[in-house]
Amino acid sequence: GQYSRPRLFVLPTMSGAVRKAVLVDGCRIPFNLSGTVYQKDLGVELAQKSLKGLMTKTAMDPALVDYVLYGTVIQEPKTSNIAREASINSGFPSNVPGHTVTQACISANQCFTTGAEKILSGQADVVVAGGCETFSDVPIRFSRPVRQRLIKAPKAMKKGAAGLLGLTKGLKMKDLAPEAPAIANYTTGEVMGHSADRLSARFGVSRADQDAFSLRSHHNAAAATEAGLYEDEIVRTNGITSENNIKGGSTMEKLQSLKPAFIKPHGTVTAGNASALTDGASAMLMMNEARALELGYTPKSILRSWAYVACDPFEDLLLGPTYAIAKVLKEMNLSIAGELEAARTILSLSGSF
């Protein structure tokens, strides 16, 4: 597949000054199962909650923001540029531009790196980037045959009852059924569960391995929540900070009892070890380092390098991160083994103080 070359984090301006894209702070609303906590909220409203939370957390004046970027997958036609609609309705001045990105699961990632590119190129000093998604209120359409007839309806109405009756000619009962947005890949017709099953078989990842990983993940997330490790990043929304997609009480026996959800009857991906459909939103404040220091902020990190890859959607759909990580590590002259060793050293040192 094709990929964009990883970009380093330091670029000189025409004046000779070095620009660095830094992360100042970020937040997210609690992520909850679709059809529960946020069932009455539009995607744009979830984005607004994260934007307001970020501005409150950082005490940032929205008028100082140069650009807003948001990623989303299932778009509501009324708010196709959800970044713009959310920012205006969150107190941002109307002269702050913004645009929305749709790039499947990495939509928000693309926003972050696009924001960094704007900062590095000197087009912006302060950028807000985030992502939002809701499966609780998705746009459900009429079938295409019905849509085509509805478009012709105004003209047909001028002919009276005969014209309207003529619109029904050729319609079938199945055409009257509504169409929910598909989460399947357009080219392959498959959802990610199918790809996960295929890759699990290809790399020898057993059902037991997946169930064990899922169980550990839920238990660790529950323990982290109990210990307050998420408190700094979650903003209270709809009166809560809890997340009902974390199943701390899950057991191996329960996971093992579930049937394959995608490739039946021999698949290994189930409703228990697959990702749940959730609603949520997040926001991140990014700046040129000099601007951040000028405004009194202490950057948390520097965006140094990134890469995007394209894979065979039939065989390698979920391997994108693997190829991208390899390219970034090579560009930065790093290795996974070296980085893990550095992390172990830091942990051992931190435990000695």
Side-chain angles (χ1 to χ4, degrees):
Q2 299 177 353
Y3 68 94
S4 60
R5 181 177 177 81
R7 300 172 184 269
L8 300 183
F9 76 103
V10 177
L11 283 180
T13 62
M14 293 188 68
S15 64
V18 172
R19 298 180 67 86
K20 296 181 182 179
V22 300
L23 165 63
V24 174
D25 213 335
C27 71
R28 63 184 179 89
I29 66 174
F31 278 55
N32 284 289
L33 293 173
S34 299
T36 59
V37 176
Y38 305 123
Q39 60 181 320
K40 296 182 179 180
D41 292 302
L42 297 172
V44 68
E45 293 171 326
L46 299 184
Q48 288 171 223
K49 297 175 192 296
S50 63
L51 281 173
K52 291 177 180 178
L54 180 66
M55 294 299 100
T56 299
K57 181 181 180 182
T58 60
M60 182 70 189
D61 180 357
L64 297 179
V65 176
D66 297 314
Y67 209 91
V68 177
L69 296 139
Y70 255 81
T72 191
V73 179
I74 299 180
Q75 291 185 313
E76 162 62 54
K78 294 180 180 179
T79 56
S80 57
N81 189 359
I82 209 166
R84 175 72 171 159
E85 305 296 346
S87 61
I88 289 179
N89 288 282
S90 298
F92 284 66
S94 59
N95 64 346
V96 176
H99 76 259
T100 301
V101 174
T102 296
Q103 196 175 0
C105 300
I106 58 173
S107 299
N109 294 38
Q110 181 63 257
C111 291
F112 301 149
T113 57
T114 298
E117 289 167 356
K118 282 187 172 295
I119 291 171
L120 294 175
S121 65
Q123 295 184 45
D125 278 324
V126 181
V127 173
V128 171
C132 63
E133 203 68 58
T134 178
F135 285 94
S136 293
D137 185 17
V138 297
I140 298 176
R141 308 192 304 174
F142 289 106
S143 68
R144 188 172 185 181
V146 172
R147 295 199 307 271
Q148 291 173 331
R149 285 163 174 78
L150 288 175
I151 291 173
K152 298 177 181 178
K155 187 175 181 179
M157 289 175 64
K158 296 178 181 179
K159 299 179 180 179
L164 290 175
L165 189 61
L167 290 177
T168 64
K169 186 178 180 180
L171 276 179
K172 302 176 182 178
M173 285 298 296
K174 67 176 183 178
D175 296 331
L176 302 180
E179 292 182 352
I183 57 174
N185 182 285
Y186 175 81
T187 300
T188 66
E190 297 180 339
V191 297
M192 286 191 291
H194 292 103
S195 297
D197 255 322
R198 184 180 297 110
L199 287 178
S200 295
R202 175 175 164 186
F203 291 105
V205 181
S206 68
R207 164 73 183 269
D209 292 334
Q210 295 172 66
D211 286 345
F213 190 90
S214 174
L215 185 67
R216 186 184 69 175
S217 297
H218 280 286
H219 286 180
N220 285 350
T225 300
E226 184 67 24
L229 298 183
Y230 298 140
E231 289 179 357
D232 182 59
E233 66 185 56
I234 296 179
V235 294
R236 182 172 294 275
T237 306
N238 292 7
I240 65 167
T241 58
S242 58
E243 300 179 292
N244 61 17
N245 60 330
I246 298 175
K247 307 299 181 183
S250 181
T251 65
M252 183 58 74
E253 290 72 25
K254 176 62 177 177
L255 289 174
Q256 291 175 339
S257 70
L258 299 175
K259 296 180 179 180
F262 302 100
I263 297 180
K264 303 173 183 180
H266 304 299
T268 58
V269 180
T270 71
N273 60 34
S275 300
L277 294 179
T278 58
D279 304 333
S282 63
M284 184 169 78
L285 180 61
M286 308 164 62
M287 296 186 188
N288 177 34
E289 183 182 46
R291 181 61 165 156
L293 298 177
E294 176 188 336
L295 293 175
Y297 292 105
T298 301
K300 291 181 178 292
S301 61
I302 302 172
L303 279 77
R304 298 188 60 126
S305 180
W306 52 89
Y308 291 93
V309 304
C311 307
D312 180 347
F314 291 92
E315 299 297 332
D316 299 333
L317 180 64
L318 302 181
L319 293 180
T322 304
Y323 296 129
I325 289 172
K327 292 184 182 303
V328 168
L329 289 175
K330 182 178 181 180
E331 181 75 18
M332 299 301 295
N333 196 27
L334 299 171
S335 67
I336 291 180
E339 295 310 295
L340 289 176
E341 183 60 35
R344 281 194 291 267
T345 302
I346 292 172
L347 288 173
S348 64
L349 288 174
S350 64
S352 65
F353 288 98

